[in-house]
Amino acid sequence: MTIVVAVARTQRIVVVGGGVLGTMHAVMARRRGFEVVQLEREAEARGASVRNFGLVWVSGRKPGAELALALRARELWEELGGRVPGLGFRAAGSLTIATEDAELRLLKEAAGLPDADQRGFELLDPDGVRTVNPALRGEFAGGLLCRADAIVEPRKVLPALRGYLAASSEDDSGYQWLPGREVTEIAPNAVRDHTGAWHQCDLVILCPGAALTGVVGRYQSFLARDGVRRVRLQMMQTAPMAQRVTTSVADGDSLRYYPAYDLPGRSQLAPQSGTAARTRAQLLLVQRADGALTIGDTHEYDEPFAFDVDSDAYDHLAARAEALLGAPIPRVQRRWAGVYSEVTLGQALYHRSEVEPGVVLVTGPGGRGMTCSPAIAEETFF
Ligand SMILES: Cc1cc2nc3c(=O)[nH]c(=O)nc-3n(C[C@H](O)[C@H](O)[C@H](O)COP(=O)(O)OP(=O)(O)OC[C@H]3O[C@@H](n4cnc5c(N)ncnc54)[C@H](O)[C@@H]3O)c2cc1C
């Protein structure tokens, strides 16, 4: 849904939410010449946007509209990465590693699809995998290289983009960042924060992430149309590892989750067992710019979510990582969980609705939200 009518009259926009969707909306709104005020309830965003892998992930996307959105977003990330070095954008590519014959056959099937070139897919034997990524010294049957996949630094992206917005606005009227302001009321052409201050505007963009109660709670009927639900994931990060891990890495379990691999060969994969099945785990591994390894993840769909983290899941993911690296991972320094919201019904890739005249709600991109955020924001304004 493109918000053509509202945008045509707009000069000043209030963005609610300081995550990557809100911040990319601020970027795209400034590109259209609008004044932007961005409010965030926390002193700094603490939601999914800073808890993720920083994977700009094209490889797993469903053919068609989802792939097109991710490819457009990948272009925008690269362009922004050139302007904002603080994003840490790296066109590192990824390797999805097969340890069983059925996984390898499925990777071969994916590499043979008509859109394989757009993703930069190439099927590699074990020596080919080690040539591309010498850190992978474990036992495996082969891997699928995706040259289109990229990496950004999730803990740095938001302040870096805000710095870029501030630097490219001549004065405060161009871009204003207001942290520590929870929006509690929405009226035509204005929002009120918890201090009682009103912020006037022509258009409100709500990007609340997974905070679907509070001020957004009254729009549940809109969210229900796309079946928006919340998902909780567990993550960890190690101390820096001296050796470079040149690409991001996924294991064969990821073939069970990403729609790109919804191919005939998927039915031949052995069912997940034990901890992997219980926690719906897949291994994704990304080396941060400082050498640390970000490792995840699990998927919890039923609320109320656990408030604590489960060690069995971490042991499983660490063992998978060590099996592919053929070496111990450095000491785990950080563990956390994150929650995102995702659409589950119909063809929508995320939720966008005009919930009231001049008030647009954007959420629910799920596990593709970091990847697709610049393209989603672009679509709001065109
Ligand atoms: C563990 C994990 C790993 C992931 N890995 C990846 C990945 O590698 N690649 C990828 O593409 N995607 C990934 N995702 C998904 C991606 O992170 C999310 O889809 C994306 O960050 C959502 O961005 P957002 O801005 O909508 O939400 P958020 O980042 O949650 O931001 C929403 C913000 O709105 C603020 N807010 C809410 N209500 C109010 C209010 N009333 N007033 C003011 N502020 C308010 C919140 O405080 C919050 O800061 C991952 C998600 C998780 C949880």
Side-chain angles (χ1 to χ4, degrees):
M1 174 190 177
T2 307
I3 313 299
V4 177
V5 179
V7 165
R9 298 190 302 270
T10 297
Q11 286 187 329
R12 183 177 160 91
I13 292 182
V14 165
V15 175
V16 180
V20 72
L21 269 188
T23 308
M24 286 296 185
H25 275 86
V27 169
M28 295 305 162
R30 289 297 296 140
R31 287 190 173 182
R32 293 287 301 267
F34 305 137
E35 294 171 10
V36 175
V37 178
Q38 186 178 10
L39 293 97
E40 163 59 46
R41 64 183 178 179
E42 305 283 347
E44 173 55 276
R46 284 286 174 270
S49 304
V50 298
R51 295 169 188 240
N52 64 44
F53 294 94
L55 284 170
V56 178
W57 198 247
V58 173
S59 50
R61 309 276 72 108
K62 189 175 179 179
E66 184 174 337
L67 178 60
L69 186 72
L71 285 168
R72 174 60 185 149
R74 166 68 171 74
E75 275 176 19
L76 289 165
W77 273 114
E78 184 158 20
E79 182 252 313
L80 278 165
R83 291 172 198 264
V84 190
L87 302 182
F89 177 88
R90 276 114 64 210
S94 74
L95 280 163
T96 298
I97 304 295
T99 52
E100 294 166 12
D101 288 347
E103 292 172 355
L104 191 62
R105 284 196 298 274
L106 181 50
L107 292 182
K108 191 172 176 186
E109 217 179 319
L113 290 176
D115 60 22
D117 281 352
Q118 285 179 281
R119 303 176 199 250
F121 272 172
E122 186 182 348
L123 191 68
L124 301 175
D125 64 16
D127 286 342
V129 167
R130 286 185 199 105
T131 303
V132 171
N133 193 338
L136 295 172
R137 292 183 308 233
E139 291 292 316
F140 40 79
L144 183 64
L145 174 65
C146 174
R147 293 190 177 81
D149 284 341
I151 301 170
V152 293
E153 291 298 303
R155 292 169 191 239
K156 297 185 177 160
V157 160
L158 302 175
L161 285 175
R162 294 198 306 266
Y164 163 67
L165 285 166
S168 51
S169 300
E170 278 165 20
D171 55 46
D172 274 1
S173 66
Y175 174 67
Q176 259 187 293
W177 164 242
L178 298 178
R181 306 286 189 114
E182 176 159 356
V183 169
T184 54
E185 196 176 338
I186 298 171
N189 302 320
V191 302
R192 183 154 70 163
D193 70 38
H194 75 283
T195 70
W198 283 98
H199 305 272
Q200 305 293 328
C201 60
D202 306 300
L203 180 65
V204 178
I205 311 265
L206 297 172
C207 298
L212 303 179
T213 51
V215 79
V216 175
R218 65 176 148 151
Y219 306 128
Q220 287 301 332
S221 60
F222 289 88
L223 296 168
R225 282 183 212 158
D226 287 329
V228 175
R229 68 168 174 187
R230 307 193 320 153
V231 181
R232 177 181 178 272
L233 293 75
Q234 275 189 214
M235 305 280 286
M236 62 179 155
Q237 191 158 303
T238 70
M241 185 165 100
Q243 182 167 15
R244 287 310 299 169
V245 183
T246 56
T247 66
S248 54
V249 178
D251 76 350
D253 279 335
S254 70
L255 303 176
R256 297 174 167 87
Y257 292 102
Y258 285 112
Y261 307 110
D262 190 7
L263 300 168
R266 181 139 88 176
S267 63
Q268 304 305 311
L269 298 180
Q272 281 186 297
S273 60
T275 303
R278 181 175 60 77
T279 61
R280 291 152 172 131
Q282 61 176 343
L283 176 75
L284 297 175
L285 181 153
V286 187
Q287 191 170 41
R288 302 266 65 92
D290 70 357
L293 304 178
T294 304
I295 297 172
D297 55 16
T298 59
H299 298 92
E300 187 179 352
Y301 300 108
D302 297 327
E303 299 205 40
F305 295 138
F307 57 81
D308 47 8
V309 290
D310 172 27
S311 283
D312 289 348
Y314 286 124
D315 291 346
H316 165 77
L317 290 168
R320 292 291 283 185
E322 291 180 346
L324 297 186
L325 292 168
I329 56 170
R331 188 177 71 87
V332 175
Q333 260 186 326
R334 301 168 203 279
R335 294 179 171 83
W336 68 94
V339 177
Y340 60 64
S341 66
E342 73 172 358
V343 293
T344 61
L345 296 177
Q347 301 302 312
L349 301 174
Y350 57 93
H351 176 87
R352 185 195 288 109
S353 54
E354 192 161 9
V355 289
E356 297 191 33
V359 181
V360 177
L361 172 60
V362 188
T363 188
R368 58 191 159 227
M370 192 72 167
T371 301
C372 295
S373 55
I376 292 172
E378 188 178 64
E379 285 187 352
T380 297
F381 296 116
F382 288 90

